[in-house]
Amino acid sequence: MRALPAFVARQVRPLMSDKPSVLFVCVHNAGRSQMAAAWLSHLAGDRVEVRSAGSAPADQVNPAAVEAMKEVGIDISAETPKILTVDAVRESDISITMGCGDTCPVFPGKRYLDWKLDDPAGQGVEAVRPIRDEIKKLVEGLIEEIAPEKSA
């Protein structure tokens, strides 16, 4: 784990609410992280705060990812890739990387996961479907851990 400069370490905030926040990060914020954020928002609703970003954002969300998500009733066509910022990491309880390597800042007390997923960049919808489905399984497991449904 990399040490933080003192001025950054002082800015780390404690968890301010009982609603967990998750940041999904991939290089272009155009495929995997967009699909993961959409799945988490769709499946967990308002029980989780969801963000996504990329270390080198693309100009648009991958059209094959948009099509693959539309097939399962989730519309991500209005989403736009966003740049990864230190603030986005600082404000998230969990950062989940998907092939962005060492570009994600590290803060003490935060949780970091790395999901090994194929990159859908340049792939057709046929190749994106299994990635979409794997992301859904990972997100379902994450929800069970951080924001399970409350029994009545």
Side-chain angles (χ1 to χ4, degrees), residues 25-145:
V25 183
C26 66
V27 175
H28 300 296
N29 189 221
R32 295 166 289 188
S33 57
Q34 291 285 352
M35 289 190 289
W39 274 123
L40 185 55
S41 294
H42 179 77
L43 296 171
D46 64 357
R47 297 188 323 248
V48 179
E49 186 179 330
V50 182
R51 297 178 180 86
S52 71
S55 53
D59 294 332
Q60 67 179 14
V61 174
N62 180 336
V66 171
E67 185 177 341
M69 293 302 286
K70 187 181 284 187
E71 290 175 353
V72 294
I74 301 172
D75 184 4
I76 62 171
S77 62
E79 297 299 324
T80 56
K82 294 165 274 317
I83 187 73
L84 175 64
T85 65
V86 171
D87 286 342
V89 179
R90 180 185 307 117
E91 294 168 6
S92 300
D93 301 308
I94 302 169
S95 291
I96 300 175
T97 56
M98 304 171 200
C100 72
D102 228 11
T103 61
C104 203
V106 175
F107 289 97
K110 302 291 182 175
R111 183 168 172 207
Y112 297 88
L113 302 172
D114 186 42
W115 289 354
K116 306 287 186 209
L117 297 161
D118 291 335
D119 187 350
Q123 304 292 322
V125 71
E126 302 79 23
V128 175
R129 285 183 189 119
I131 300 167
R132 172 201 66 200
D133 297 343
E134 180 64 19
I135 290 170
K136 180 183 181 193
K137 289 176 193 168
L138 290 165
V139 166
E140 288 171 335
L142 180 68
I143 291 168
E144 281 302 310
E145 181 183 339

